[in-house]
Amino acid sequence: MTSGKCRIKKYTYGTPFCTDAVVEQTAAGEGSPSFITELDNGFTYQMTPSDAVYGLGENVRGINKRGWHYVSNNSDEPNHREDRTSLYASHNFIIVDGRERFGLFIDYPGKLTFDIGYTEHNTITITAEDMNFDLYVLEGGSLKEIVQAFRHLIGRSYIAPKWAFGYGQSRWSYLTADEVREVVRKHRENHIPLDSVYLDIDYMERFKDFTIDEEAFPDFACFVEEMKKQHIHLVPIIDAGVKIEEGYDVYEEGVEKGYFCKEADGTDFVAAVWPGLVHFPDMLNPDARKWFGHKYKVLLDQGIDGFWNDMNEPAIFYSEKRIADAIDRVQEFKGKNMDLTTFEEFKAVTGTLSNNAEDYSSFYHNVDGKGTMVCHDKVHNLFGYNMTRAAGEAFEDLEPDKRILMYSRSSYPGMHRYGGIWQGDNLSWWSHIELNMHMMPSLNMMGILYTGADLGGFGADTTEDLLLRWLEFGIFTPLMRNHSAMGTRRQEVYRFESMEAMKKIIGLRYGLLPYLYSEYMKAALKDEMYFRPLAFDYTEDAFAAKVEDQLLLGDGIMVAPVYEQNAEGRYVYLPEAMKLVKFRSLTERTEEILPAGHHYVPIALDEVAVFIRPNHVLPMSYGGECVDEVDFSTLQLLGYVTDTAVYEWYDDDGYGKDYDNPANYSTFVVKADGNLEVKSEKKLNITVSL
Ligand code: MIG
């Protein structure tokens, strides 16, 4: 397959498991793959000291992945620390950029290790547990062209409804409908824009999927309707495990139809998660997937139009067998005088109960629905993908013309066609703003465009300044959601002294929507990245290649968020002259042209800095308190134009799927003197402000 200047060759090793990550036929490569050297259990490549390695999607550390090792092994990992090697996803695509430039995608659903200059500074070693996979080598072309070719290979990215580009408020522990009403009321009263409120596990009856706690959330369909009237979408969570409980239809049907994952002896595998003992639906069995996906109808029928899929690594608190064994072993320590070693052994008895590798190797999937059983550990990284695919395929069936919001915690390439992801259980740490920033372009490379982190931080107590700074970056991420864990400091913006400032920042998001939505849609429709590292555009600039805390966003702007406590600004590198626009709100801004080079840029705690590239424009709306209220036909074009700026603007109704209609595209041509020419089938009312 050829896409632009990039050619893709496929090499098949052993008998790969078909993951359905790839949607395009690709010619088989002849002989050995180019660039890399084959090993018994993988590949190796010698880098030069200055090579950069991009990719791996959702992982810790920098945009350039050099200097650490990463393991594709989807894990419920709530500590996103530098020493971690796996988070919730397996994104087995990298690009090496240096003496040679090429991309590698290893389509392998088991455990895969990427040692990127960790053991030896200049050596990449990729090792699999067994040599059964397809390797795709992408060669030729620029970084952007390689990404585009990969994205073409894995298919069009998921497209969220327009309302899901609004601000969302979430918290694990909104215990009743009244509490949700209160959250909405506070936002509306204070004119803080809001489009969605998330329902965490608290809305369910005893944590059972597709049920509602009737006492806490009476008359659910009416409640959903009442919220809709206020332009609020309720977004419930769905968990991977199905509670074992007599009389619970999902459990009973699953058992009867044989749709749960099985032990070697054919009995249903039992694990424990939120609801206590559960079975896992066999998301890899096409029949079970169809069955589980159609269960979402229970909520769709009550007016719900968005979901988030959680715990789908799948996370296991403990398995029935393992805990029985642990309880026996704990007895052995009774009355013992424990020294350090014994005490460590004692702690390990319970400390290794969760997400234990032995449990993952003790259950099976009926992968064709006809009895071909594959052990879970061979296909572990596909579980979350297929849970989300179950929903996505069912939505196609149930609501073919409507966009449904869907994002998942766990993922693998291929899942990006059915939903986005949120970046999991981060902490209210300054370094996690930076991590959020690093993940965005890496995830975009994998086709995951609809994504964002829990703004303000999920675990630990947030601080007012942290939330402010995080919102200042979060207004640019497609998923913009404030979410926090039960028991932590509450972080809805109306609880803070600087509510006014936070409100203005969120308001600015609504002003930026015509640009952000346009860039998102073009990225999805043309297999491009929404966020890019500077190195992807300024390919000849050695300084730009090293910048990891500034990002290009779409066609014309760069962002450089502040992510240090007590900072009053930051250093910014400009590869070329840019216009710095500092916003205090949608209507209060200052502008200044900065020459290329290094600058210290003061950015006050309540300010957002946007850098407009030369001969580019930034289309903005006049805002609103929800997406429905934003008038996308009345725009102001901010810009930095020394000669001519040409902007291709995408807009559509935001709910249907007529994506490829040429009428969705308009062209704005702006001259340095402010003269504007518009080519559009829409009635637009545009002013230029240079
Ligand atoms: O074990 O549903 O990542 O967003 O709030 C925790 C409760 C389960 C993990 C998710 C988080 C969610 C939480 N869930």
Side-chain angles (χ1 to χ4, degrees):
M1 196 190 98
T2 313
S3 164
K5 289 198 194 102
C6 182
R7 291 177 306 285
I8 305 185
K9 287 183 185 162
K10 172 181 174 181
Y11 299 87
T12 298
Y13 293 83
T15 44
F17 183 83
C18 177
T19 67
D20 291 334
V22 163
V23 295
E24 287 283 325
Q25 290 288 340
T26 310
E30 274 165 33
S32 297
S34 2
F35 306 107
I36 51 179
T37 308
E38 289 174 13
L39 304 171
D40 286 347
N41 59 346
F43 307 97
T44 184
Y45 178 76
Q46 277 310 113
M47 297 181 278
T48 66
S50 60
D51 288 10
V53 180
Y54 301 105
L56 297 181
E58 188 180 41
N59 256 302
V60 297
R61 300 206 174 215
I63 294 175
N64 181 351
K65 303 316 281 186
R66 270 191 86 146
W68 188 240
H69 55 145
Y70 307 86
V71 184
S72 290
N73 182 32
N74 294 359
S75 312
D76 175 10
E77 173 52 83
N79 293 304
H80 303 178
R81 300 190 325 222
E82 273 182 37
D83 63 345
R84 298 293 114 145
T85 51
S86 311
L87 295 177
Y88 314 88
S90 294
H91 295 145
N92 302 333
F93 173 56
I94 58 169
I95 301 180
V96 177
D97 183 34
R99 179 169 42 97
E100 297 171 302
R101 184 185 305 124
F102 59 94
L104 296 177
F105 171 49
I106 300 108
D107 188 7
Y108 178 67
K111 200 193 260 187
L112 188 67
T113 301
F114 292 83
D115 180 330
I116 317 247
Y118 166 69
T119 304
E120 283 172 35
H121 185 64
N122 288 328
T123 309
I124 297 180
T125 311
I126 303 170
T127 45
E129 300 222 304
D130 53 74
M131 288 293 268
N132 294 302
F133 51 76
D134 288 316
L135 164 75
Y136 296 84
V137 180
L138 297 88
E139 54 178 297
S142 63
L143 289 166
K144 288 201 269 195
E145 285 167 323
I146 294 175
V147 170
Q148 193 167 37
F150 174 62
R151 295 270 301 281
H152 194 73
L153 183 71
I154 60 173
R156 182 179 279 182
S157 295
Y158 163 76
I159 292 173
K162 209 182 222 179
W163 62 262
F165 291 81
Y167 179 56
Q169 179 59 50
S170 181
R171 179 166 172 93
W172 168 17
S173 73
Y174 289 149
L175 298 177
T176 62
D178 281 341
E179 208 175 330
V180 172
R181 284 188 180 100
E182 163 89 356
V183 170
V184 172
R185 190 174 56 79
K186 290 276 192 189
H187 282 81
R188 289 288 180 248
E189 254 173 30
N190 291 299
H191 305 288
I192 305 161
L194 188 69
D195 272 273
S196 53
V197 175
Y198 286 77
L199 302 180
D200 207 316
I201 44 176
D202 321 285
Y203 80 90
M204 295 184 222
E205 181 197 295
R206 293 193 301 286
F207 307 130
K208 290 185 299 189
D209 280 338
F210 314 113
T211 68
I212 310 285
D213 181 334
E214 291 289 340
E215 239 169 79
F217 292 84
D219 260 330
F220 192 66
C222 291
F223 179 49
V224 174
E225 184 55 31
E226 174 195 328
M227 290 292 119
K228 279 258 160 79
K229 285 200 180 115
Q230 301 178 58
H231 302 276
I232 298 294
H233 298 256
L234 294 177
V235 186
I237 196 170
I238 304 292
D239 277 56
V242 169
K243 185 175 173 66
I244 298 178
E245 187 183 278
E246 293 302 315
Y248 169 37
D249 57 343
V250 184
Y251 159 73
E252 290 189 338
E253 273 175 46
V255 170
E256 191 199 305
K257 298 190 156 124
Y259 286 162
F260 293 125
C261 293
K262 306 263 184 246
E263 302 245 3
D265 66 4
T267 56
D268 291 334
F269 174 70
V270 180
V273 207
W274 278 104
L277 298 182
V278 300
H279 291 319
F280 289 125
D282 188 350
M283 304 297 181
L284 275 72
N285 171 344
D287 303 328
R289 193 158 66 227
K290 188 162 183 198
W291 165 75
F292 189 78
H294 278 75
K295 291 290 166 204
Y296 287 75
K297 188 169 186 296
V298 171
L299 291 155
L300 292 174
D301 286 349
Q302 302 188 66
I304 292 296
D305 50 12
F307 301 90
W308 44 314
N309 281 345
D310 191 19
M311 305 296 273
N312 50 6
E313 294 69 31
I316 297 180
F317 291 170
Y318 61 85
S319 68
E320 204 178 26
K321 282 191 180 148
R322 187 162 303 283
I323 203 155
D325 181 51
I327 290 168
D328 286 345
R329 283 179 47 213
V330 165
Q331 308 297 327
E332 294 165 17
F333 294 87
K334 202 172 175 183
K336 260 196 189 167
N337 174 357
M338 289 192 252
D339 61 7
L340 178 68
T341 320
T342 330
F343 184 57
E344 288 300 328
E345 281 166 13
F346 172 74
K347 284 197 293 186
V349 174
T350 53
T352 54
L353 278 174
S354 297
N355 308 321
N356 191 293
E358 274 178 44
D359 287 334
Y360 291 127
S361 57
S362 70
F363 65 94
Y364 295 80
H365 296 275
N366 177 359
V367 294
D368 52 4
K370 299 188 184 102
T372 306
M373 304 307 279
V374 172
C375 185
H376 177 77
D377 60 2
K378 299 270 181 240
V379 290
H380 172 69
N381 297 331
L382 300 180
F383 195 89
Y385 158 21
N386 281 283
M387 177 183 180
T388 301
R389 178 183 183 183
E393 287 174 343
F395 297 159
E396 281 296 326
D397 217 20
L398 298 165
E399 298 272 11
D401 302 321
K402 187 173 165 188
R403 299 186 212 174
I404 306 287
L405 172 63
M406 165 51 71
Y407 57 87
S408 172
R409 193 169 71 178
S410 185
S411 62
Y412 182 91
M415 200 211 76
H416 72 290
R417 300 191 297 267
Y418 304 99
I421 65 159
W422 88 100
Q423 293 164 14
D425 296 347
N426 60 8
L427 291 158
S428 298
W429 287 359
W430 290 88
S431 60
H432 282 179
I433 302 182
E434 193 186 8
L435 184 60
N436 182 188
M437 220 189 313
H438 289 167
M439 277 188 197
M440 295 306 295
S442 307
L443 285 167
N444 286 182
M445 287 175 70
M446 307 299 143
I448 296 172
L449 299 175
Y450 191 80
T451 181
D454 291 350
L455 302 175
F458 175 74
D461 290 335
T462 201
T463 59
E464 184 162 26
D465 53 353
L466 179 79
L467 181 56
L468 269 164
R469 290 303 194 191
W470 215 327
L471 287 170
E472 287 164 16
F473 177 57
I475 61 170
F476 298 105
T477 63
L479 165 61
M480 183 191 182
R481 179 180 76 146
N482 178 335
H483 180 49
S484 56
M486 182 170 68
T488 60
R489 180 178 183 180
R490 297 206 168 244
Q491 61 189 43
E492 296 83 6
V493 304
Y494 52 78
R495 296 181 189 276
F496 295 95
E497 247 179 289
S498 44
M499 178 189 79
E500 280 303 315
M502 293 182 186
K503 172 174 132 185
K504 287 176 175 177
I505 293 163
I506 298 167
L508 180 58
R509 157 72 163 215
Y510 287 74
L512 290 165
L513 277 178
Y515 179 73
L516 301 181
Y517 183 72
S518 166
E519 290 306 319
Y520 178 90
M521 292 303 295
K522 288 189 294 179
L525 299 174
K526 299 178 184 185
D527 297 328
E528 289 171 353
M529 291 165 73
Y530 172 94
F531 276 118
R532 297 179 308 280
L534 269 52
F536 280 48
D537 283 46
Y538 300 99
T539 49
E540 303 301 317
D541 184 324
F543 281 117
K546 297 293 169 209
V547 175
E548 297 222 340
D549 61 355
Q550 304 170 202
L551 294 172
L552 298 167
L553 193 178
D555 180 63
I557 69 170
M558 182 180 81
V559 297
V562 174
Y563 55 94
E564 273 174 17
Q565 190 156 30
N566 303 316
E568 292 173 347
R570 51 162 290 172
Y571 286 93
V572 176
Y573 174 66
L574 300 187
E576 58 186 330
M578 292 190 193
K579 180 186 268 186
L580 164 63
V581 186
K582 279 195 233 173
F583 292 94
R584 269 222 156 77
S585 72
L586 189 46
T587 49
E588 303 158 273
R589 63 170 197 264
T590 60
E591 297 180 5
E592 175 187 3
I593 311 269
L594 295 178
H598 295 273
H599 298 270
Y600 181 81
V601 180
I603 306 168
L605 196 50
D606 60 350
E607 279 180 336
V608 175
V610 174
F611 298 83
I612 305 180
R613 298 168 74 176
N615 293 312
H616 283 88
V617 290
L618 171 60
M620 294 184 67
S621 79
Y622 289 86
E625 285 184 30
C626 58
V627 172
D628 290 342
E629 239 181 61
V630 176
D631 177 2
F632 280 73
S633 67
T634 304
L635 304 175
Q636 43 177 338
L637 300 185
L638 270 53
Y640 176 29
V641 185
T642 54
D643 180 1
T644 311
V646 181
Y647 184 67
E648 183 185 49
W649 186 59
Y650 180 98
D651 190 39
D652 59 18
D653 74 350
Y655 296 89
K657 296 185 176 172
D658 190 16
Y659 307 128
D660 299 306
N661 188 339
N664 297 338
Y665 291 91
S666 305
T667 309
F668 307 148
V669 182
V670 182
K671 294 282 183 197
D673 62 5
N675 181 54
L676 167 71
E677 210 184 290
V678 177
K679 285 180 215 130
S680 180
E681 292 183 30
K682 299 180 163 59
K683 268 218 161 70
L684 300 173
N685 177 3
I686 308 180
T687 51
V688 176
S689 161
L690 298 183

